[in-house]
Amino acid sequence: MAGRNKTVISEFFLLGLPIEPEQQNLFYALFLAMYLTTVLGNLLIIVLIRLDSHLHTPMYLFLSNLSFSDLCFSSVTMPKLLQNMQSQDSSIPYAGCLTQMYFFLFFGDLESFLLVAMAYDRYVAICLPLHYTTIMSPKLCLSLVVLSWVLTTLHAMLHTLLMARLYFCANSVIPHFFCDMSALLKLSCSDTRVNELVIIFMGGLILVIPFLLIIMSYARIVSSILKVPSARGIRKAFSTCGSHLSVVSLFYGTVIGLYLCPSANNSTVKETVMAVMYTVVTPMLNPFIYSLRNRDMKGALGRVFCKKIFS
């Protein structure tokens, strides 16, 4: 490794999505529509929760933070992707690349922790309804949110500082549409073993454990509902839990598959498609799955619009 030139890289070049030139405009319109849907859907949820006092409850505190996280998570990568699809210049400064990586990790981790908090909230509400107000006190809810923000800040900073210590050789082309951590490690001509060990160890704490906690929470919810059989209740439980778990599995499944269980057989195209699923599709689906189908949210939407019309 000492025999190789250690070049000071001032910028990287993002290869982007593996799209044929004649399909560029079609995919640009598709991703633009998906991004606008993500932004508008999550902004609507944040505004409704802020304006309607009926939604000032623990569940909607977590939902508003999740919507903010989804909005920012998508905004970390999508504007640059859309710009590169319409521009011949796909460069990104070295500092800009590390900054993008930091916020990508930050908001991705934040979503992971908030999904756990929401699953726990639903578990207490359904399995321990008489103790809900005691357990899910404002102090506990605020503590969970603050803890999520602090832990994600530390985790994202750790990986960013470890990446900043590496040297990069002459090849500065990232075969991705954003500054992905694993793609950057492949370009480095330094020893990346420490980075890889930290990814595996911290990934277990940040991804695998939260995912298992969410599965356990929903398993307890389903078990609790089945003890009191009701056709309507069972249908509603499986509809709600099924939709929630499908999005959770999509998010965690692709992230765990990419970063904790990488395969030598994974092509760049396959990895890019998997990244699109959790960076673009999941933030767009979350508002519909968690909120906009919700009766409380529909009621709040009606109340806010009626108040504006009559005022």
Side-chain angles (χ1 to χ4, degrees):
M1 194 65 70
R4 298 184 64 175
N5 291 329
K6 293 180 177 179
T7 310
V8 177
I9 296 290
S10 61
E11 62 180 7
F12 293 99
F13 294 90
L14 296 169
L15 203 58
L17 297 171
I19 299 172
E20 298 296 331
E22 58 271 15
Q23 298 177 329
Q24 196 85 359
N25 290 334
L26 175 63
F27 276 94
Y28 176 82
L30 175 63
F31 282 115
L32 178 61
M34 293 173 75
Y35 179 59
L36 290 176
T37 302
T38 302
V39 171
L40 294 175
N42 285 294
L43 275 178
L44 178 62
I45 290 167
I46 294 169
V47 170
L48 284 177
I49 293 173
R50 177 70 181 85
L51 294 179
D52 194 292
S53 59
H54 295 85
L55 301 181
H56 294 173
T57 62
M59 182 177 75
Y60 292 106
L61 170 67
F62 298 136
L63 272 174
S64 62
N65 278 269
L66 180 69
S67 293
F68 178 76
S69 174
D70 280 332
L71 174 61
C72 296
F73 186 51
S74 186
S75 297
V76 168
T77 57
M78 286 300 291
K80 183 62 178 173
L81 169 63
L82 293 169
Q83 177 193 336
N84 290 349
M85 291 178 78
Q86 293 294 300
S87 169
Q88 299 300 319
D89 181 19
S90 61
S91 64
I92 182 170
Y94 174 82
C97 192
L98 289 185
T99 301
Q100 187 187 55
M101 190 190 85
Y102 170 81
F103 283 108
F104 178 81
L105 290 170
F106 178 87
F107 290 112
D109 293 344
L110 183 59
E111 178 158 347
S112 177
F113 284 120
L114 289 172
L115 288 172
V116 175
M118 290 168 62
Y120 178 68
D121 174 77
R122 291 299 84 204
Y123 161 71
V124 175
I126 294 173
C127 299
L128 304 167
L130 299 178
H131 303 282
Y132 180 78
T133 53
T134 305
I135 297 174
M136 300 304 294
S137 63
K139 184 179 179 181
L140 174 65
C141 295
L142 188 60
S143 299
L144 289 174
V145 171
V146 170
L147 182 63
S148 298
W149 282 78
V150 171
L151 290 177
T152 53
T153 300
L154 296 175
H155 181 246
M157 185 61 71
L158 172 64
H159 283 294
T160 306
L161 292 176
L162 286 174
M163 187 65 70
R165 74 185 179 87
L166 301 179
Y167 289 96
F168 293 89
C169 300
N171 184 15
S172 60
V173 178
I174 301 174
H176 221 303
F177 63 91
F178 67 96
C179 291
D180 179 57
M181 186 165 52
S182 59
L184 284 171
L185 289 178
K186 291 175 184 177
L187 294 182
S188 175
C189 49
S190 301
D191 187 350
T192 61
R193 283 178 294 182
V194 174
N195 298 65
E196 291 163 359
L197 286 173
V198 171
I199 288 174
I200 293 171
F201 177 73
M202 296 302 296
L205 296 177
I206 300 293
L207 293 171
V208 176
I209 293 177
F211 179 58
L212 293 176
L213 289 173
I214 292 171
I215 296 297
M216 287 170 56
S217 295
Y218 282 111
R220 293 290 299 271
I221 289 171
V222 172
S223 174
S224 176
I225 291 172
L226 290 178
K227 289 178 181 177
V228 186
S230 162
R232 184 182 175 186
I234 291 173
R235 279 198 306 271
K236 185 177 180 181
F238 279 106
S239 171
T240 303
C241 294
S243 60
H244 287 197
L245 285 175
S246 61
V247 176
V248 166
S249 300
L250 179 65
F251 176 76
Y252 282 101
T254 51
V255 173
I256 291 172
L258 272 175
Y259 295 105
L260 299 187
C261 307
S263 171
N265 298 324
N266 279 358
S267 64
T268 303
V269 175
K270 183 179 177 182
E271 289 182 353
T272 304
V273 171
M274 291 173 72
V276 167
M277 296 304 289
Y278 71 83
T279 58
V280 181
V281 178
T282 304
M284 182 186 68
L285 290 178
N286 277 344
F288 298 98
I289 297 298
Y290 285 102
S291 300
L292 297 180
R293 297 193 319 158
N294 189 306
R295 186 179 300 171
D296 293 337
M297 291 298 292
K298 291 177 181 177
L301 186 62
R303 285 190 294 272
V304 169
F305 274 103
C306 287
K307 185 184 294 184
K308 293 296 180 183
I309 290 171
F310 287 111
S311 63

